[in-house]
Amino acid sequence: MAANGTSGQERSGAATVAELVRAQWGDHRVGAKYEDQVLTHHQLAGGAAARAALLGELLPRGAEPHLGVLLGNVPEYPLWLSAAALAGAAVAGINPTRRGPELARDISHTDCALLITERAQLPLLAGLDLPIPPRRILVVDDPAYRDLLGPYEGATPDGITAGGRGRGHGATRTPNPASRLLLYFTSGSTGAPKAALCTQGRLAAAGHSLARHFGVRRDDVHYLCMPMFHGNAVIAGWAPALAGGAAVALRRRFSASAFLPDVRRYGATYFTYVGRAVQYLLATPPAPDDRDHTLRCGFGTEAGAVDAARFAERFGVRLTEGYGSSEGGAAIQRTPDTPPGAIGRAAPGNDLAVVDPETGVELPRARLDPAGRLLNGGEATGELVNRGRSSFEGYWRNPEATAARTRGRGEGRVGAGWYWTGDLFFRDTEGFFHFAGRTDDRLRVDSENLAAAMIENILARYAPAAGVAVYAVPDPVAGDQVMAALALRDGAAFDPDGFVAFLAAQPDLGTKMAPRFVRTLDALPVTATHKVHRAALRRTGFRCPEPVWWSPVAPTAPAGSTYRRVTAADRAALLALYRDHDRAHLLDR
């Protein structure tokens, strides 16, 4: 029996996140840790209730019950997630790597009637045309915020979810499994990021599923170091902790050097990761006490088989790779017999297949050599689809993108009703799925999904360029890197210092968007229909005959900080790095 009188079985049957938050009430075990701050589950539930009551006061009548959260991983983030759940409202995770008009667009597009932020983020908002009046922008580390919250600190979770109202407009709603809870941005081929929807029922179900899969215990501590505006930290970290009655430990932003000290300080047993985070951890200096910690496992994506093995050898922690589209439309689950390099098999309830994106025909199974290298990539690599019932809930105010994801709106369309992931996979003869990259206009850089069209629109302002194409080249370790081809105007020359200054002057250039590689040429290659031939550009990558400039790859050297000409020695060293991580074959796709 749990400390608050709620049995584990009753908690596992919770159909909404609101029910999971209510189950914290009366539980005086530690529920959250952040720096020197410790909150019990009971305090978290009470704090969420107070914020939910405040929502009832501040949300204007008739407005969508949406609040933007522009915060680092601080206790206020899970408190507001829980408050939104109790109030039947939804949180839009606002990405602080976005800039200028694009950041304002994210807030406006998700119809945020309230913005929760902190002093450290205020410079990002300066001068922006926001749809939210200043009185509804709450700065959580400002004394005025505590004064505003004070009158509601006696609220209880039951009082909110039973239909209790704020003193003002009464904008809170009784939640149910279909209530929107998350609007989190993902990128696609249409350029502007799309806000994927996640209901309380889907998030609660994901929490229960992961809690069961990883055997989450009430004495576990989930270390949340990935940003909470992404689905990874919320769906794979916070939700299973909430479902399993575990605690969370928060890190404002990921730090490789602080990772093990934090794990030891908080007694963390589980963490989530994406992309290059594992490489950053492996890049820290080895120490004799690397295995002196409490971690049991890590769960994430794109670590790569080589680095996962290195991580296990060095830190004694098994990494479990998984795949799940941000929108919830398809999921692959690792099984004990999953071979190195593979993601796993289709998760229960998923009817996954690798198909030709034009015909919808399932492709032949992949043939691998004894070393695990793909022998028939041309015929076996295609788009991953879910032909069964998916949990995809659509995009906010974007019916075209929603329809495109399921190929709806048209009789007789190939694969209509399926969930099309937009990701490339192959499937081996034993039924295991292997990730093979992104479709043409999508890039995944250091865990961020980007759209090539958006970056092209920015680079098109570069005066010496007559034409621009942006495309992905494989990262030596995980995900992609941004490469740009610039067709220079007659008489123009590429000035690396001038290009750095140009990038620095673009207000809407996100921190992950700067090209790692820049290829200069007289004209962009085109297809017979006069479209830019991105496939040809991707295949040659940095191995092309034209001049290529690059920002050297290192965790401490962000792309766009400096550029120098790629030499033969640079190219050889890069190719060796790809071989070391068993990713050289990706360069030829």
Side-chain angles (χ1 to χ4, degrees), residues 105 109 185-197 327 383 392-409 413 418-422 442:
R105 178 261 175 198
H109 174 69
F185 285 100
T186 182
S187 297
S189 58
T190 56
K194 303 181 291 292
L197 301 176
E327 298 87 341
E383 186 167 352
F392 174 55
E393 296 171 319
Y395 300 107
W396 178 250
R397 297 204 188 286
N398 199 334
E400 294 79 12
T402 299
R405 183 63 73 185
T406 57
R407 296 200 174 182
R409 292 192 169 184
R413 295 192 67 186
W418 297 352
Y419 178 83
W420 294 75
T421 66
R442 298 180 65 197

Side-chain angles (χ1 to χ4, degrees), residues 224-477:
L224 305 186
C225 56
M226 295 293 101
M228 293 190 74
F229 61 79
H230 268 178
N232 171 272
V234 174
I235 298 174
W238 180 69
L242 193 63
V248 296
L250 300 160
R251 175 84 192 175
R252 174 178 287 277
R253 62 180 61 85
F254 174 75
S255 167
S257 62
F259 181 83
L260 273 184
D262 273 358
V263 165
R264 295 178 182 125
R265 175 184 186 180
Y266 299 130
T269 57
Y270 169 99
F271 77 104
T272 65
Y273 62 87
V274 285
R276 295 176 67 91
V278 169
Q279 189 205 12
Y280 296 155
L281 293 172
L282 290 170
T284 59
D289 61 349
D290 277 342
R291 290 191 171 213
D292 180 16
H293 56 70
T294 50
L295 279 177
R296 290 204 320 271
C297 64
F299 176 54
T301 61
E302 300 179 17
V306 173
D307 281 344
R310 291 174 178 169
F311 196 89
E313 180 180 359
R314 176 173 167 183
F315 298 108
V317 177
R318 174 180 58 88
L319 299 182
T320 299
E321 287 278 301
Y323 172 87
S325 66
S326 300
E327 298 87 341
I332 297 172
Q333 195 171 80
R334 189 174 184 84
T335 55
D337 58 341
T338 301
I343 301 297
R345 300 181 188 272
N350 286 255
D351 178 14
L352 303 185
V354 177
V355 304
D356 183 310
E358 298 297 325
T359 66
V361 174
E362 187 166 0
L363 296 176
R365 296 294 177 96
R367 291 182 285 106
L368 307 175
D369 67 13
R373 294 181 173 84
L374 181 61
L375 299 177
N376 61 334
E379 67 174 4
T381 302
E383 186 167 352
L384 182 72
V385 299
N386 185 358
R387 299 176 298 193
R389 183 177 180 180
S390 80
S391 57
F392 174 55
E393 296 171 319
Y395 300 107
W396 178 250
R397 297 204 188 286
N398 199 334
E400 294 79 12
T402 299
R405 183 63 73 185
T406 57
R407 296 200 174 182
R409 292 192 169 184
E411 293 184 8
R413 295 192 67 186
V414 173
W418 297 352
Y419 178 83
W420 294 75
T421 66
D423 291 327
L424 301 176
F425 273 78
F426 57 89
R427 190 180 192 183
D428 64 29
T429 56
E430 300 301 316
F432 294 102
F433 290 91
H434 301 245
F435 180 71
R438 306 284 166 181
T439 49
D440 290 359
D441 198 41
R442 298 180 65 197
L443 307 88
R444 186 169 176 83
V445 180
D446 203 9
S447 309
E448 288 283 343
N449 286 325
L450 305 175
M454 290 188 62
I455 306 175
E456 287 176 353
N457 290 339
I458 295 171
L459 298 187
R461 305 167 192 159
Y462 183 56
V468 176
V470 170
Y471 45 99
V473 293
D475 183 274
V477 177

